């Protein structure tokens, strides 16, 4: 068999390599840049709820910025675990976003087993908003401040009931944390959502509740409930005259319902960075900030690294809260 001489072989290899490079370059040129199609944003709560409303404000602005629809896909159930598992297992192509809440760090402690890891299975994009929570009471209760309420509750051990949107939810854990820190003997009454819990509170069936700002505002504004304090460390821009529990004698008390966006862990860092840039731009837009204010939500933002660190820091805090409360949802 006649072998091609070394110079000729080198020439053939050069031609072949040139052809391969040309094909690769053409393929890259023809590959559509992200985003080339509509994006799905999974939300772990039903339409019309406080998380859903905030997510839609952000999704609408994001759609306008990137030139593709960002479509909300509501997947409620199991304290957010159904949506989290679905998002964790979605293709890591930048076309599935998970609009998550603090439930992402509460779920693993509350349930005996979840099919996702909040750190390993997601690439954090950005912290989007914090929704302060508010201590509210029935107007018939003879209290006008958080201090009044604390004194009143201490003098009536075991007599005060508080509602929540469900066992192990942040509305349950915030009240349980407050009661434990103050040494109050109170009784938990879980409901299937904040709406029925607030209806019963406004009817006097329970005595107090800690729930998100955007949920309680209509009840406070029309006098059906009395707001005593916010549970975040800082006062809310929505009710700036309302003191915090921290200011009211509960040093360091901090419980707020936070929200953010994550994507499947293997998503390209370039897409994560682009999403982070677009989300920060959206959160800085005056229309978005005004609409979030109507929902009682404070826009945040920041880097993806910031959000990753925040999620890791929140895991032990809420795991302890779940353990201390004795809540289980197996």
């Amino acid at each position: 068999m006649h072998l091609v001489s070394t110079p000729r072989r080198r020439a053939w290899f050069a031609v072949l390599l040139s052809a391969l490079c040309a094909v690769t370059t053409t393929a890259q040129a023809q590959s559509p840049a992200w985003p080339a199609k509509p994006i799905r944003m999974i939300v772990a709560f039903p339409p019309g709820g406080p998380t859903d409303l905030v997510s839609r404000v952000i999704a609408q602005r994001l759609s306008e910025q990137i030139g593709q629809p960002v479509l909300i896909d509501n997947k409620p159930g199991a304290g957010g675990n159904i949506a989290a598992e679905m998002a964790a297992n979605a293709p890591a192509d930048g076309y599935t976003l998970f609009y998550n809440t603090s439930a992402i760090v509460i779920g693993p402690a509350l349930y005996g087993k979840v099919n996702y890891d909040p750190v390993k299975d997601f690439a954090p994009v950005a912290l989007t908003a914090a929704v302060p929570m508010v201590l509210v009471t029935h107007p018939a209760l003879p209290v006008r401040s958080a201090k009044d309420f604390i004194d009143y509750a201490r003098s009536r051990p075991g007599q005060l009931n508080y509602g929540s949107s469900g066992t192990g939810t942040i509305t349950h854990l915030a009240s349980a944390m407050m009661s434990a820190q103050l040494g109050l003997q109170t009784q938990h009454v879980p409901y299937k959502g904040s709406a029925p819990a607030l209806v019963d509170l406004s009817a006097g069936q329970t005595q107090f509740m800690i729930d998100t700002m955007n949920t309680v505002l209509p009840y406070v504004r029309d006098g059906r409930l009395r707001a005593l304090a916010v549970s975040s460390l800082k006062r809310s821009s929505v009710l700036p005259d309302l003191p915090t529990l921290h200011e009211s004698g509960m040093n360091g008390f901090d419980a707020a319902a936070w929200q953010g966006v994550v994507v499947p862990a293997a998503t390209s860092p370039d897409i994560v960075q682009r999403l982070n840039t677009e989300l920060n731009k959206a959160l800085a837009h005056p229309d978005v900030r005004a609409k979030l204010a109507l929902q009682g939500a404070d826009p945040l933002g920041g880097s993806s690294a910031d959000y990753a660190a925040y999620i890791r820091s929140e895991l032990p805090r809420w795991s302890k809260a779940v353990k201390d409360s004795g809540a289980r949802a197996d």
Side-chain angles (χ1 to χ4, degrees):
M1 179 179 178
H2 178 68
L3 295 178
V4 180
S5 66
T6 299
R8 290 182 63 190
R9 288 170 64 190
R10 288 175 179 170
W12 277 109
F13 281 130
V15 171
L16 179 60
L17 181 61
S18 177
L20 287 173
C21 289
V23 170
T24 302
T25 302
T26 302
Q28 289 176 341
Q30 292 175 347
S31 178
W34 184 95
K37 62 182 181 179
I39 294 170
R40 176 176 65 153
M41 180 182 280
I42 299 174
V43 177
F45 299 93
T51 302
D52 175 75
L53 293 174
V54 173
S55 71
R56 288 178 188 275
V57 171
I58 294 172
Q60 180 181 351
R61 184 62 202 171
L62 195 59
S63 297
E64 294 170 0
Q65 291 175 188
I66 66 176
Q68 289 287 349
V70 178
L71 308 173
I72 300 296
D73 186 8
N74 298 95
K75 297 295 181 184
N81 290 334
I82 292 174
E85 182 179 352
M86 180 178 294
N89 293 320
D93 56 7
Y95 291 100
T96 298
L97 316 181
F98 180 30
Y99 195 84
N100 69 280
T101 68
S102 42
I104 200 174
V105 296
I106 294 173
L110 183 63
Y111 291 79
K113 182 179 184 299
V114 295
N115 295 318
Y116 68 91
D117 185 303
V119 173
K120 296 179 181 178
D121 289 339
F122 299 106
V125 177
L127 189 64
T128 55
V131 183
M133 302 178 74
V134 185
L135 169 63
V136 289
T137 62
H138 188 273
L141 234 63
V143 297
R144 294 283 176 178
S145 67
K147 185 179 183 307
D148 289 346
F149 171 79
I150 294 168
D151 293 340
Y152 184 82
R154 279 178 172 159
S155 66
R156 290 163 178 78
Q159 296 181 35
L160 299 189
N161 300 323
Y162 66 90
S164 79
S165 58
T167 298
T169 61
I170 195 168
T171 61
H172 169 206
L173 297 177
S175 293
M177 288 167 61
M178 180 188 72
S179 296
Q181 185 169 328
L182 293 170
L184 306 180
Q185 297 179 35
T186 57
Q187 305 297 322
H188 175 223
V189 182
Y191 290 82
K192 292 182 178 180
S194 288
L198 289 168
V199 167
D200 267 13
L201 176 57
S202 63
Q205 299 299 314
T206 55
Q207 286 73 53
F208 75 98
M209 185 173 178
I210 296 180
D211 206 345
T212 53
M213 177 79 74
N214 48 4
T215 306
V216 303
L217 270 177
Y219 291 84
V220 172
R221 284 172 171 161
D222 66 13
R224 286 178 288 170
L225 294 177
R226 178 176 294 141
L228 301 181
V230 293
S231 64
S232 51
L233 276 177
K234 297 180 180 179
R235 293 195 181 197
S236 168
S237 59
V238 180
L239 295 175
D241 294 331
L242 197 64
T244 65
L245 285 171
H246 168 70
E247 293 174 302
S248 304
M250 295 191 63
N251 188 41
F253 190 87
D254 182 20
W258 48 267
Q259 305 171 0
V261 172
V262 297
V263 292
T267 303
S268 162
D270 290 341
I271 292 177
V272 173
Q273 182 56 53
R274 171 75 188 283
L275 277 167
N276 176 268
T277 299
E278 296 295 345
L279 279 170
N280 277 291
K281 181 179 177 182
L283 292 167
H285 195 278
D287 287 349
V288 170
R289 299 181 77 86
K291 289 175 181 177
L292 293 188
L294 292 175
Q295 299 297 327
D298 295 324
L300 297 175
S303 71
S304 56
D306 290 340
Y307 191 28
Y310 186 74
I311 289 174
R312 288 194 296 269
S313 71
E314 286 287 274
L315 271 166
R317 189 163 83 93
W318 288 107
S319 293
K320 182 179 185 304
V322 170
K323 182 178 179 181
D324 292 347
S325 72
R328 298 296 295 176
D330 294 322

